[in-house]
Amino acid sequence: MIELHGVSKTVQSGGDPLTIVHPLDLEIPTGQLLSIVGPSASGKSTLLGLIAGLDMPTTGSIMVNGTDITSLNEDRLAEFRGRTVGFVFQFFHLMPSLTAFENILVPLEIIGKSNPQARARDLMSEVGLTGRSHHYPSQLSGGEQQRVAIARALANTPPVLLADEPTGNLDSATGRSIIDLLVDVNRRHGTTVVLVTHDNELAAQTDATLVMRDGRTEKRQAAPTTSGRR
């Protein structure tokens, strides 16, 4: 369960306060697949970063799986993120000098995962890239790079997976394959998945949609039953 209580974010812009996220309350049940949609500069990515603990709110508290992440110091917050949250970025952020396999293996070694090579191989298989293990990011398509990034985010088997515009740099067909992969992760592992997207068609595949505009939540709606996911 992810719970936000009175959460807002204000920064200084040219000496004046600028509120990016106005105070909001939100509950995301365990195992839900939630999309956050809205125009550019509506506060979507900022909200996702707050949930991830990558940024701290100006007001309010954020509970993730029973832990108030707004009360943690930097060390404990980093430990919590490493154990609880996987994050997928729009621009992949793979290490160019490492192969696809190594990009997944290194984080596993850092967290001290037992038998990391076997886990990395399983993850490569899960995202459909078994035959691309020894290719470098420059040798992979955008969709393949994003699959590696998703596998890396799943390395520590996090109960929460956050994705910021995971299809933003991909063509529509490749983007749908990435969304299908995230849906599969959610369904097979019961992972809570929150994704930011501009694509309403992709958002329609999720359990619920949070619509943001000018830092405010406009509405939250259940995904249509005609989406074919049920």
Side-chain angles (χ1 to χ4, degrees):
M1 171 77 78
I2 300 171
E3 302 171 81
L4 282 69
H5 302 286
V7 168
S8 71
K9 183 65 180 181
T10 299
V11 299
Q12 291 296 312
S13 176
D16 297 319
L18 173 64
T19 299
I20 302 173
V21 175
H22 291 268
L24 62 83
D25 297 317
L26 176 65
E27 287 189 1
I28 305 172
T30 298
Q32 185 175 73
L33 175 56
L34 173 73
S35 56
I36 304 175
V37 303
S40 296
S42 61
K44 305 184 303 296
S45 293
T46 298
L47 178 58
L48 198 71
L50 291 170
I51 294 172
L54 297 174
D55 197 4
M56 284 292 109
T58 304
T59 65
S61 63
I62 302 172
M63 302 285 293
V64 180
N65 287 8
T67 297
D68 181 358
I69 65 173
T70 53
S71 69
L72 302 179
N73 61 33
E74 284 296 326
D75 289 341
R76 292 184 61 199
L77 184 57
E79 179 185 346
F80 177 83
R81 282 197 302 262
R83 185 176 67 250
T84 307
V85 178
F87 205 101
V88 179
F89 300 91
Q90 178 179 355
F91 295 102
F92 319 138
H93 292 305
L94 301 179
M95 295 294 292
S97 61
L98 301 180
T99 65
F101 180 79
E102 290 166 342
N103 264 281
I104 301 168
L105 176 65
V106 169
L108 290 166
E109 292 177 334
I110 290 173
I111 64 176
K113 191 79 171 180
S114 61
N115 201 356
Q117 294 203 358
R119 173 64 176 159
R121 284 193 295 270
D122 288 344
L123 286 166
M124 288 292 294
S125 176
E126 184 170 341
V127 300
L129 289 178
T130 301
R132 306 290 276 170
S133 294
H134 299 294
H135 290 72
Y136 292 91
S138 62
Q139 299 171 315
L140 301 174
S141 68
E144 289 172 333
Q145 289 184 66
Q146 193 60 293
R147 286 175 178 270
V148 174
I150 291 171
R152 182 183 58 189
L154 295 173
N156 61 342
T157 319
V160 176
L161 181 66
L162 307 176
D164 191 4
E165 294 284 4
T167 64
N169 284 322
L170 307 174
D171 62 74
S172 58
T174 305
R176 282 181 175 79
S177 73
I178 293 300
I179 292 297
D180 287 344
L181 176 57
L182 293 173
V183 170
D184 184 60
V185 167
N186 168 257
R187 292 297 178 246
R188 287 200 296 122
H189 301 296
T191 307
T192 303
V193 178
V194 183
L195 64 93
V196 164
T197 181
H198 279 94
D199 193 327
N200 288 322
E201 185 178 344
L202 298 180
Q205 299 185 56
T206 62
D207 297 324
T209 300
L210 183 71
V211 182
M212 294 192 71
R213 186 178 298 276
D214 298 325
R216 291 182 170 87
T217 302
E218 288 195 339
K219 61 181 177 178
R220 194 177 182 212
Q221 60 193 34
T225 57
T226 56
S227 66
R229 294 182 59 243
R230 304 255 183 216

